Amino acid sequence: MMKLHQYKFKEEYTYYMLQAIKDGRQDLFRRDFLDLHPSDQTEFFLSLDQLKRERVYSFLSPAEFGEIFSELIPGIQKEMIVELNRDYAVAMLNELPSDDAADFFGLLSQKEADFFLNRMEKEEADDIKQLLAYEEGTAGSLMTSDVFTIAASERVTDVLNRLRLKKTNAETIYYLYVTGDDGCLKGVVSLRQLIISPGDSLIADIMNGKLITVPAGAHRLEILEIIKKYGLLAVPVVEGEDDALIGIVTFDDLLSLAD
């Protein structure tokens, strides 16, 4: 992934992407565009007129455009969704992290939200509805429910293989959360700990059972203080007496909300 910074280089790179759009060269456009940092992809996309944006939609998969869509400010998101073919838009929304999708749905009227929710995959739609039910500014409204969970009985090698092979929408895998069959949180393993541990080690032997969690009703400022105090990148959100894991709130989520 490349970050554009030098003016002349950026100007040249932009020229070739614009030429690929004009000539209908999907292969050339994808080669250059997908090599860019997401922030540069977004900046380039926003520089285009509607006709060129429509060509970009045809060049990118719904999941790929979703990466750009998540970077857009709310007002621009509402403008862009109108330009999209409805089936394409639904497919894109299915691919978004649940918290990003919920943020977007919070911008819509009930009629508009129902239109998309009724056409999305049931699991994805249910996740969004759950997030929208929480009070704004609480852990429940900020969290993503796309969490990569593991079992205490698994071995390190098995977990690493799952991470390599399984497609997941998990927003962050810096931490892997250990849950029981009932979905209750038992421990956490950092990605670093997983990588340096012997492959035949049981997760139960390397996990940290001393958990820092927040309830779904915790306020944003309370969560931010906890994350800062303990130097975390994310904090799990739990509910019930048995600490059922229902999602995570990331440091990036809190920062973007502050912006």
Side-chain angles (χ1 to χ4, degrees):
M1 184 175 296
M2 177 173 54
K3 180 75 174 176
L4 295 181
H5 51 87
Q6 294 180 350
Y7 175 74
K8 290 184 179 179
F9 178 69
K10 180 177 180 179
E11 188 177 60
E12 180 179 4
Y13 216 78
T14 298
Y15 169 80
Y16 284 115
M17 288 191 293
L18 288 172
Q19 195 64 41
I21 291 174
K22 179 181 178 182
D23 296 340
R25 293 296 304 272
Q26 180 179 13
D27 55 339
L28 295 181
F29 176 81
R30 289 177 57 84
R31 182 197 66 189
D32 291 341
F33 184 79
L34 295 178
D35 193 40
L36 295 177
H37 188 279
S39 63
D40 288 315
Q41 291 179 348
T42 303
E43 182 179 352
F44 173 79
F45 174 78
L46 290 175
S47 72
L48 304 176
D49 60 34
Q50 183 173 344
L51 288 177
K52 291 185 178 67
R53 290 197 300 269
E54 289 174 353
R55 179 61 63 87
V56 170
Y57 302 143
S58 70
F59 284 175
L60 300 178
S61 71
E64 289 166 344
F65 180 67
E67 296 289 331
I68 300 172
F69 191 81
S70 291
E71 296 286 327
L72 302 176
I73 63 174
I76 299 297
Q77 285 184 334
K78 288 199 70 174
E79 292 179 17
M80 295 301 106
I81 201 73
V82 174
E83 295 181 357
L84 299 178
N85 170 277
R86 286 302 188 230
D87 291 338
Y88 185 99
V90 169
M92 179 201 69
L93 292 171
N94 276 325
E95 296 291 339
L96 289 184
S98 56
D99 57 335
D100 289 343
D103 288 343
F104 169 68
F105 274 88
L107 305 171
L108 305 180
S109 68
Q110 188 63 54
K111 182 178 179 180
E112 292 170 325
D114 287 344
F115 175 88
F116 289 112
L117 289 170
N118 291 335
R119 289 162 175 77
M120 291 176 64
E121 295 176 9
K122 184 179 185 305
E123 183 178 353
E124 302 299 330
D126 287 346
D127 285 345
I128 293 168
K129 291 175 184 176
Q130 178 188 13
L131 296 180
L132 291 173
Y134 291 105
E135 182 181 348
E136 186 176 356
T138 63
S141 68
L142 297 171
M143 71 183 183
T144 176
S145 55
D146 300 321
V147 185
F148 191 94
T149 60
I150 58 179
S153 59
E154 289 188 274
R155 296 192 180 276
V156 167
T157 296
D158 297 328
V159 174
L160 287 173
N161 286 335
R162 281 211 292 134
L163 282 171
R164 294 188 188 101
L165 300 176
K166 180 177 175 62
K167 180 183 177 182
T168 175
N169 286 332
E171 187 166 324
T172 174
I173 55 170
Y174 295 117
Y175 306 121
L176 304 177
Y177 297 99
V178 185
T179 57
D181 293 337
D182 55 1
C184 294
L185 188 60
K186 304 297 183 184
V188 61
V189 178
S190 70
L191 187 58
R192 177 182 180 278
Q193 182 63 48
L194 190 73
I195 292 172
I196 67 174
S197 296
D200 60 352
S201 298
L202 288 173
I203 294 299
D205 294 331
I206 66 170
M207 73 179 191
N208 184 355
K210 297 180 180 179
L211 297 164
I212 307 297
T213 65
V214 296
H219 190 270
R220 182 183 72 84
L221 294 179
E222 178 185 348
I223 305 167
L224 185 58
E225 284 301 313
I226 289 173
I227 284 181
K228 289 167 62 177
K229 178 179 180 179
Y230 295 101
L232 303 173
L233 294 171
V235 61
V237 183
V238 298
E239 67 178 4
E241 295 181 359
D242 296 327
D243 287 343
L245 179 66
I246 59 173
I248 60 171
V249 176
T250 69
F251 185 59
D252 285 348
D253 290 334
L254 295 171
L255 285 183
S256 63
L257 188 65
D259 293 340

